[in-house]
Amino acid sequence: MTSTGNSRVAMSPSATRARSTGVSAAQWKVIVATSVGNALEWFDFAVYGFFAGVIGRLFFPSDDETASLLLSFATFGVAFLMRPLGAILIGSYADRKGRKAALNLSILMMMTGTAIIVVLPTYQTIGIAAPILMTVARMIQGLSAGGEFGSATALLAEQDPARRGFFASWQVASQGLMIMLAAAFGIAMSTSLSADAMGDLGWRIPFLFGLSIGPIAVYIRRKIDESPEFNPDDVADRPLRSVLVDQTPRLALGIATVVLATVSAYLALFMPTFAIRQLGVPASAAFSAVALIGAIQLCLAPVFGAWSDRVGRFAIMAPAAALFLVCIYPLFVWLAAAPTVERLVVVQIILGLLATAYFAPLPALLAELFPAGTRTSGLSLAYNFAVTVFGGFAPFIITSLIAASGSNLAPSLYAGAAAAVSLVALIVLRVRYSAIAPPMTGPSALMREQQK
């Protein structure tokens, strides 16, 4: 049965307010299950980015250190080439079989890729097979992550239509938890291990930690209930085709709104490498500054998400994108002029606040772009296409720009361009749909169009 609308979320204001009085035990269980599993998914991605320099020397050896780092970052990006495929396969599976089934599948795939990385011998031991197998492991992780965002976001966003912003923002908060965990490992290992120890076994420890948490996440996810909005009778006959053909404008706008979120996220992951290599900041200080971003996301994402339920997504996201666009270049100029730990911390706090304010309402906005029957496919495609093109290769692009220009300000130019793209997309959404309104005032303009 083809679903052309989403009447299940078009609740009256009184009914909506009745459901928004609190968070039930079952809903908290969903928040915990999705957050723990989602944090684990992104943790494995983050630690690869953090330890790209070590991985590059061990699996992509080269006489040129920059070339070795670029090859490592290229493999980081290759995983993102698989994410649209993961979005297609797992997203469509989630729309047909349910959000819960898709989440369990994605985390099992992530554990498989991580297990390969944990036990994989280096180039010195097995030669060319090492970088090939590392690439295969990253591709499996990419497939997994491609389906994770859409499935997790759909499950969270569908807990309560009146509070989509609050529930869906836990997707962002869980990524903040991931950044904190990855940065904590970076701090501990950079201060306690020698370079030889790090290159020997030290870099594998975070991946082993992530692998050990996997079974716990699988167990928790199997205990949660299916999404209250998922109904097999409402599923589109071909969800993927419906998104690509019938909902093309929504998909294009969704991709554009994700650009700033993904570039700012992977800029944060790149910052330790940038601060250490380009600015000469101690490794422990660089990782500590990144941990601040994770703490900001974890603590403030639900606040911004809940706020967007009251004032609308646009009222928070557009100012955050505009301020990010205006501030990013001056902040990098200020940091490069005197690269101290104190200035790095200030820059990370400002960018972390702006990025979180923008990112937190975004999952709810994306959920409201697509009806329930195609929601996971639409969410997955919009997010993962943007992440693949603009985010996954961000460290590679930034490193190349720095090498080509000789300027430490290159990251700010790339991030500023991303902010401009997303700000324009938000304005188009505002004009096209009259308003990006909070669901608690009744069906939003996006929802009303879905019902036509």
Side-chain angles (χ1 to χ4, degrees):
M1 177 178 177
T2 301
S3 174
T4 58
N6 193 8
S7 59
R8 308 186 80 189
V9 299
M11 304 176 65
S12 68
S14 59
T16 297
R17 284 192 294 271
R19 288 192 58 189
S20 62
T21 55
V23 180
S24 68
Q27 289 173 329
W28 276 120
K29 186 184 295 185
V30 169
I31 289 175
V32 171
T34 53
S35 296
V36 171
N38 196 54
L40 175 62
E41 293 264 4
W42 299 111
F43 175 81
D44 291 330
F45 265 75
V47 293
Y48 187 95
F50 281 176
F51 297 105
V54 176
I55 293 173
R57 292 192 298 271
L58 294 174
F59 291 90
F60 307 94
S62 173
D63 294 333
D64 185 344
E65 185 177 351
T66 299
S68 179
L69 181 64
L70 284 171
L71 286 172
S72 181
F73 276 142
T75 306
F76 182 83
V78 163
F80 286 83
L81 292 177
M82 302 301 295
R83 290 180 60 153
L85 180 58
I88 291 170
L89 297 177
I90 300 179
S92 179
Y93 179 74
D95 281 330
R96 290 182 288 106
K97 301 297 183 181
R99 313 338 184 186
K100 178 179 174 179
L103 285 173
N104 288 329
L105 174 61
S106 67
I107 200 166
L108 289 173
M109 292 176 64
M110 179 61 73
M111 289 171 61
T112 300
T114 303
I116 294 174
I117 295 175
V118 167
V119 302
L120 184 61
T122 64
Y123 185 92
Q124 186 177 4
T125 303
I126 61 173
I128 192 64
I132 292 175
L133 290 174
M134 177 63 78
T135 303
V136 170
R138 294 292 297 161
M139 292 171 70
I140 294 173
Q141 289 183 326
L143 282 170
S144 168
E148 173 70 17
F149 181 90
S151 303
T153 301
L155 182 60
L156 287 166
E158 291 171 352
Q159 294 303 306
D160 185 346
R163 305 181 69 185
R164 286 196 199 279
F166 170 75
F167 280 101
S169 68
W170 284 96
Q171 161 70 249
V172 180
S174 67
Q175 294 189 31
L177 175 61
M178 166 274 296
I179 292 174
M180 291 180 64
L181 284 173
F185 271 99
I187 295 169
M189 294 170 63
S190 64
T191 55
S192 61
L193 297 180
S194 65
D196 290 340
M198 183 75 75
D200 185 15
L201 293 175
W203 68 273
R204 297 182 192 268
I205 295 175
F207 292 101
L208 182 60
F209 169 80
L211 184 62
S212 67
I213 298 298
I216 299 174
V218 171
Y219 175 79
I220 295 174
R221 285 187 170 187
R222 286 180 176 175
K223 298 297 181 180
I224 62 176
D225 296 328
E226 183 54 83
S227 163
E229 288 187 34
F230 174 73
N231 185 345
D233 294 334
D234 289 340
V235 175
D237 294 332
R238 289 184 287 180
L240 177 63
R241 183 185 183 281
S242 180
V243 172
L244 294 176
V245 176
D246 302 327
Q247 301 170 15
T248 306
R250 303 183 193 197
L251 179 61
L253 288 170
I255 291 171
T257 58
V258 174
V259 173
L260 173 56
T262 186
V263 169
S264 62
Y266 289 99
L267 178 63
L269 297 183
F270 174 77
M271 282 301 287
T273 301
F274 172 77
I276 295 166
R277 285 173 52 86
Q278 306 302 138
L279 303 180
V281 173
S284 59
F287 285 119
S288 297
V290 171
L292 277 175
I293 289 183
I296 290 170
Q297 266 189 238
L298 177 61
C299 297
L300 294 185
V303 176
F304 284 118
W307 191 15
S308 74
D309 287 329
R310 294 184 173 277
V311 302
R313 321 301 177 208
F314 184 87
I316 297 174
M317 295 175 67
L323 285 172
F324 193 99
L325 174 60
V326 171
C327 293
I328 183 69
Y329 183 79
L331 285 173
F332 267 74
V333 170
W334 182 65
L335 176 60
T340 63
V341 174
E342 292 77 12
R343 290 196 176 196
L344 178 63
V345 168
V346 171
V347 169
Q348 292 288 68
I349 290 175
I350 294 173
L351 295 182
L353 284 170
L354 294 176
T356 302
Y358 181 85
F359 199 179
L362 177 62
L365 173 62
L366 292 176
E368 291 168 351
L369 274 171
F370 302 97
T374 60
R375 179 167 291 145
T376 309
S377 294
L379 276 167
S380 297
L381 286 170
Y383 186 79
N384 286 292
F385 271 110
V387 170
T388 297
V389 176
F390 299 98
F393 285 97
F396 179 85
I397 293 170
I398 291 171
T399 302
S400 300
L401 288 174
I402 293 173
S405 65
S407 172
N408 292 334
L409 304 180
S412 67
L413 299 178
Y414 185 68
V421 169
S422 290
L423 182 58
V424 170
L426 285 173
I427 294 172
V428 172
L429 271 173
R430 178 75 169 183
V431 172
R432 180 179 176 87
Y433 297 104
S434 299
I436 304 175
M440 69 181 300
T441 61
S444 69
L446 298 176
M447 293 299 181
R448 286 194 295 272
E449 181 179 295
Q450 289 170 8
Q451 298 164 31
K452 292 179 180 179

